[in-house]
């Protein structure tokens, strides 16, 4: 029965060898020679007739029967071979590889007896018979000793000192001094001599391997057994077969891990791949093929290799990519580049994320210093080199015209004019100049009556080495280079177009110029004038900012062909109490990265709001928490109620008030939540609405979206109730967008994103200096947003211009303004 069980378990070979070796031991004890039929192997006797060839042997020479000796050795070599293999196997099984020389004893005995058959006279010699008996007895003693040693080791491995129970919990005694116990959570508890213990989590493959390696390093100085030594010549205290049975892993795996340990191959020792080895040749073949198709996945490459006749598994392909580092490199490449069969180009979102990270770092340094930071050189070499390789270049900054300083003095009036008549370079302001010629030139211009006039002007040399312009023309303050129209005409175009909400064509007809000339004059103020932040610093704010966006038409752009190719998005940041336009910007895409860039730009201007009001766009939540960590994010209740009504219509139809009266009651209850004056009342009404969830969802499963919507947005809606700071809606930002639309619709779209950016610069300045009309709210009536922020602008020419007055009018005509609050 035991043999049958061993046969089923795949151990039939060991059972057969055990039976054979037992027979050999019995025969050896009885003194029976193995040459008989009861010996090591059943070999039928062969008769050799020496007498028939006696005449031939004599002719060969003397008393030597070479033919008879060769015939005997040829027929008896099988016995010597079997004896030698048996001794060699016993030496290997017992771990005594240093005793492998005993396998030569049967061959020595066979050779010595063959010589005796060939030379019959030798067999009568006493010395010959002594050597023959010595070789035979030596083979028998070696066989008997190895068999006994093998049985003793088998008893040691299977006896009481090494017992394994792996049905759930396991306890293994590797020796009288080392014991391993595995608990039900997979933790190995190792007890070492002198009360030392180890507790290792066996669920982590690397920990388990390191425990096996540690146990293989244990050695006992008093150990005298001649077991097989390791590669580095040691005799481990714990054997591999014991560890294999104790931990339930194949013994070749332990040998491979020990090889990794000795060669310090930590990467493969830590690997979780299959036990079968991946050769370096196969690994190189996989990588050489993969680099030709870097956009392929592992499965597709595996199919390609199989089609070429390669005997390789999918696991080996993945292992080759991991061990060679190709998987890490490919992952990094796909994060930075869009890799396909047609193209290999950087990803736009990756470039944007890198630039946003640089902006975030600069803003943090700006806030840390509390003002303008000293010049710093940042590491942008990689981004610049990548931009040059891919042909991506930033838009050049348009230099302001030379007459801008005079224009800013005229509009803002905060610079002291030069008292003397000293001529200065229009570009660098130096007085190190000289006249180019003594003969003046005639400059033609149109006066305030529409008549052409001429004035004499001179050309000058600029001797400043840092000035890239070497010559300039000294013009009167009201004249503009390369144009006959004076500054007053440009200001009139800006005033007529923006203040009266006109169009370029009508404004050009009033001034006697073309619509394109009017467009150039108006858009020029977007980049020629200093931004408002340069005039006032960080503009005062109430700390509550509303953010929203509007899509605009931009027909000419480099966006890929798609449904929304011609549309871009203008972002607005508005003070909810002063209606001041704190920041405005246009982006090609309405994405999370665009929103992050806009918030970072707002923060770079120095704003740190205590509350941010948005619509229900999900992108703003995590971005506001990261950029403005201390700000409260509030969502517009008006937009929330609109979306709630939309979900009700999607679940019950547009006529739900007639078909489902109970839903109309639910809608009224939802609206009453946000009309409460206290948070306690609002929360009580909110809980009453959620209590009806099961009733409505049971009847109509689509109604679940209504209650899920309320639960998702409730924390960002309730914070405005009973608050004196946070407004319930985002009406201030919506009002600014409405005013922007009044200007934007006069030309129905921008030509490209550059012209759109110029116009946004114009709109920001015009809006912030233009007072609200007399039919606006009483609190803001007759005031511009900057005045509502607390700035005195009565004497500022820019504010006078956008009240519809000429710059030449005295400031006293404005009358008494409402005091700033």
């Amino acid at each position: 029965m035991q043999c049958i069980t061993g046969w089923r378990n795949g151990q039939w070979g060991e059972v057969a060898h055990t039976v054979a070796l037992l027979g050999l031991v019995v025969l050896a004890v009885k003194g029976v020679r193995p040459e008989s039929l009861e010996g090591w192997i059943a070999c039928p006797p062969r008769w050799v007739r020496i007498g028939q060839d006696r005449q031939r042997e004599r002719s060969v020479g003397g008393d030597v029967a070479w033919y008879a000796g060769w015939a005997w050795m040829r027929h008896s070599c099988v016995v010597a071979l079997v004896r030698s293999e048996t001794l060699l196997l016993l030496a290997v099984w017992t771990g005594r590889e240093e005793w492998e020389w005993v396998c030569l004893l049967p061959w020595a005995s066979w050779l010595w007896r063959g010589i005796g058959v060939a030379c019959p006279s030798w067999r009568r010699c006493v010395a010959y018979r002594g050597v023959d008996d010595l070789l035979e007895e030596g083979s028998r003693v070696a066989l008997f000793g190895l068999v006994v040693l093998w049985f003793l080791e088998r008893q040691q491995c299977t006896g009481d000192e090494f017992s394994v129970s792996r049905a759930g919990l396991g306890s293994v005694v590797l020796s009288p001094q080392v014991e391993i116990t595995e608990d039900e959570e997979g933790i190995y508890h190792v007890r070492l001599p002198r009360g030392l213990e180890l507790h290792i989590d066996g669920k982590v493959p690397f920990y388990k391997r390191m425990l096996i390696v540690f146990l293989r390093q244990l050695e006992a100085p008093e150990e005298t057994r001649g077991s097989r030594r390791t590669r580095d010549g040691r005799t481990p205290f714990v054997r591999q077969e014991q560890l294999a049975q104790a931990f339930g892993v194949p013994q070749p795996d332990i040998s491979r891990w020990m090889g990794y340990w000795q060669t310090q191959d930590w990467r493969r020792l830590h690997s979780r791949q299959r036990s079968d080895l991946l050769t370096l040749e196969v690994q190189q073949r996989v990588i050489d093929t993969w680099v030709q198709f870097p956009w392929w996945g592992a499965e597709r490459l595996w199919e390609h290799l199989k089609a070429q006749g390669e005997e390789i598994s999918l696991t080996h392909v993945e292992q080759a990519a991991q061990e060679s580092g190709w998987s890490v490199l490919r992952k990094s490449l796909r994060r930075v580049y869009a890799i396909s069969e047609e193209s290999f180009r950087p990803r736009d979102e990756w470039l944007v994320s890198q630039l946003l990270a640089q902006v975030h770092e600069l803003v943090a340094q700006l806030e840390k210093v509390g003002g303008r930071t000293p010049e710093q050189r940042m590491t942008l070499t990689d981004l610049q080199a990548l931009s040059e390789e891919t042909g991506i270049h930033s838009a050049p900054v348009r230099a302001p015209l030379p007459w801008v300083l005079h224009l800013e003095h005229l509009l803002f009036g905060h610079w002291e004019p030069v008292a003397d008549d000293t001529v200065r370079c229009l570009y660098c302001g130096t007085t190190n100049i000289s006249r180019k010629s003594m003969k003046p030139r005639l400059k033609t211009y149109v006066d305030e009556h529409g008549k052409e006039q001429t004035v004499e002007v001179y050309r000058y040399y600029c001797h400043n080495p840092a000035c890239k312009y070497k010559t300039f023309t000294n013009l009167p303050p009201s004249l503009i280079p390369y144009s006959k129209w004076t500054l007053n005409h440009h200001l009139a175009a800006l005033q007529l177009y923006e203040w009266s909400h006109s169009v370029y064509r009508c404004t050009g007809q009033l001034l006697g110029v073309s619509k394109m000339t009017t467009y150039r004059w108006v858009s020029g103020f977007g980049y020629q004038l200093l931004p408002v932040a340069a005039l006032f610093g960080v503009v005062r704010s109430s700390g509550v900012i509303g953010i929203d966006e509007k899509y605009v038409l931009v027909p000419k752009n480099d966006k890929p062909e798609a449904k929304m190719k011609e549309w871009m998005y203008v972002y607005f940041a508005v003070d909810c109490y002063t209606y001041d336009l704190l920041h405005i910007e246009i982006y090609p895409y309405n994405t999370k990265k665009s929103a992050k860039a806009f918030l970072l730009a707002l923060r770079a201007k120095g704003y740190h709001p205590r509350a941010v009001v948005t619509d229900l766009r999900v992108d703003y939540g995590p971005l506001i928490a990261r950029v403005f960590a201390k700000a409260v994010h509030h969502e517009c209740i008006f937009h929330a109620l609109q979306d709630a009504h939309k979900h009700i219509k999607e679940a019950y139809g547009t006529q739900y008030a007639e078909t489902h009266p109970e839903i109309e009651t639910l809608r009224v209850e939802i609206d009453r939540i946000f009309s409460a004056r206290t948070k306690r009342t609002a929360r009580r009404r909110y809980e009453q609405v959620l209590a009806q969830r099961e009733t409505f969802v049971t009847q109509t499963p689509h109604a679940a979206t209504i209650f899920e919507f309320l639960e998702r947005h409730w924390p960002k809606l309730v914070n405005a109730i009973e608050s004196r700071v946070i407004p319930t809606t985002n009406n201030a930002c919506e009002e600014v967008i409405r005013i922007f639309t009044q200007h934007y619709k006069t030309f129905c779209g921008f030509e490209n994103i550059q012209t759109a950016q110029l116009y946004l610069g114009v709109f920001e300045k015009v809006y912030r200096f233009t007072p609200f009309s007399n039919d606006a709210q009483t609190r803001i009536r007759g005031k511009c947003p900057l005045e509502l922020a607390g700035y005195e602008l009565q004497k500022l020419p820019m504010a006078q211009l956008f009240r519809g007055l000429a710059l030449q009018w005295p400031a006293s005509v404005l009358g008494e303004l409402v005091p700033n609050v």
Side-chain angles (χ1 to χ4, degrees), residues 225-473:
R225 60 182 176 89
S227 63
R228 178 184 178 184
R229 296 185 178 274
T230 60
R231 296 182 181 94
D232 52 355
R234 297 185 306 104
T235 305
F237 184 67
V238 183
R239 302 181 181 178
Q240 284 191 8
E241 56 267 20
Q242 295 175 335
L243 294 174
Q245 191 171 0
F247 291 95
V249 296
Q251 188 172 344
D253 287 1
I254 299 179
S255 299
R256 181 161 49 87
W257 297 340
M258 294 305 301
Y260 294 159
W261 170 268
Q262 292 176 357
T263 59
Q264 300 183 3
D265 193 350
W266 314 123
R267 181 168 58 93
R268 286 188 170 87
L269 182 61
H270 192 274
S271 174
R272 298 185 179 182
Q273 301 295 334
R274 294 170 47 183
S275 59
D276 50 342
L277 290 176
L278 174 68
T279 62
L280 294 178
E281 292 77 9
V282 177
Q283 174 178 302
Q284 189 63 38
R285 166 64 174 152
V286 172
I287 300 305
D288 290 342
T289 307
W290 213 334
V291 295
Q292 302 177 38
F293 312 98
W295 58 89
W296 281 5
E299 187 172 356
R300 185 174 180 184
L301 180 68
W302 173 57
E303 295 175 353
H304 176 73
L305 292 175
K306 283 202 311 180
Q308 295 182 349
E310 295 285 347
E311 295 294 335
I312 189 172
S313 63
L314 178 60
T315 306
H316 273 159
V317 173
E318 297 173 348
Q319 182 181 352
Q322 181 178 4
E323 293 183 355
S324 63
W326 169 254
S327 59
V328 178
L329 176 62
R330 183 171 176 269
K331 184 178 180 180
S332 300
L333 286 175
R334 295 185 68 87
R335 179 174 54 87
V336 178
Y337 296 93
I339 305 175
S340 63
E341 188 174 358
E342 294 81 14
S343 64
F344 190 95
R345 60 178 180 81
R347 294 183 182 273
D348 295 338
E349 56 270 20
W350 180 82
L351 288 173
V352 172
S353 63
Q354 296 299 308
L355 294 176
L356 290 180
Q358 297 289 349
V359 172
H360 196 280
E361 181 180 352
L362 290 175
V363 171
Q365 293 182 7
L366 181 65
E367 294 173 349
K368 183 178 180 180
V369 176
R372 189 174 65 177
T373 62
E375 181 181 0
Q376 294 186 6
R377 298 291 181 178
M378 303 188 65
T379 306
L380 298 176
T381 308
D382 295 341
L383 291 177
Q384 292 174 351
L386 183 60
S387 300
E388 294 177 358
E389 290 291 333
T390 55
I392 301 175
H393 302 284
S394 59
V397 180
R398 301 185 63 175
L401 297 180
W403 49 272
V404 171
L405 293 178
H406 175 71
L407 178 61
E408 289 174 345
H409 171 71
L410 183 63
L411 294 178
F412 302 128
H414 63 291
W415 283 291
E416 292 294 334
V418 180
D420 54 12
D421 295 332
T422 304
V423 178
R424 302 174 183 272
C425 177
L426 296 177
Y427 305 100
C428 64
T430 182
T431 57
N432 186 12
I433 61 173
S434 62
R435 186 176 291 184
K436 187 176 181 180
S437 64
M438 301 304 296
K439 183 178 181 181
R441 298 182 180 182
L442 295 179
K443 172 67 175 177
T444 302
Y445 69 95
V446 179
D447 60 11
E448 62 274 10
H449 303 291
K451 297 181 180 180
E452 292 188 357
Q453 304 291 341
T454 58
V455 62
E456 293 183 351
V457 295
Y458 290 91
R459 294 282 293 175
Y460 289 84
Y461 287 111
C462 178
H463 301 293
N464 182 10
C467 182
K468 63 179 180 179
Y469 300 95
K470 301 304 180 182
T471 61
F472 65 94
T473 302

Side-chain angles (χ1 to χ4, degrees), residues 691-711:
Q692 307 176 45
R693 181 207 298 259
E694 185 176 356
T695 303
F696 285 97
V697 173
T698 303
Q699 299 175 356
T700 307
H702 292 293
T705 57
I706 303 172
F707 300 95
E708 292 174 358
F709 171 79
L710 288 175
E711 281 187 326

Side-chain angles (χ1 to χ4, degrees), residues 677-744:
R677 294 187 177 182
T678 62
K679 290 185 178 180
R680 180 179 179 182
T681 304
R683 183 167 284 104
R684 176 171 52 81
R685 295 176 181 177
Y686 168 72
E687 293 174 354
Q688 290 175 356
V689 170
L690 289 186
Q692 307 176 45
R693 181 207 298 259
E694 185 176 356
T695 303
F696 285 97
V697 173
T698 303
Q699 299 175 356
T700 307
H702 292 293
T705 57
I706 303 172
F707 300 95
E708 292 174 358
F709 171 79
L710 288 175
E711 281 187 326
R712 185 168 60 254
H713 293 280
W714 169 254
K716 296 179 181 178
L717 297 173
V718 68
N719 48 27
I721 301 175
E722 201 179 355
S723 175
R724 298 183 179 181
V725 176
I726 304 176
T728 57
T729 65
N730 199 16
N731 287 343
C733 193
E734 296 287 346
E735 177 66 19
V736 177
I737 293 178
R738 184 183 63 83
I739 298 174
F740 172 79
T741 304
Q742 292 177 354
H743 293 267
Y744 162 73

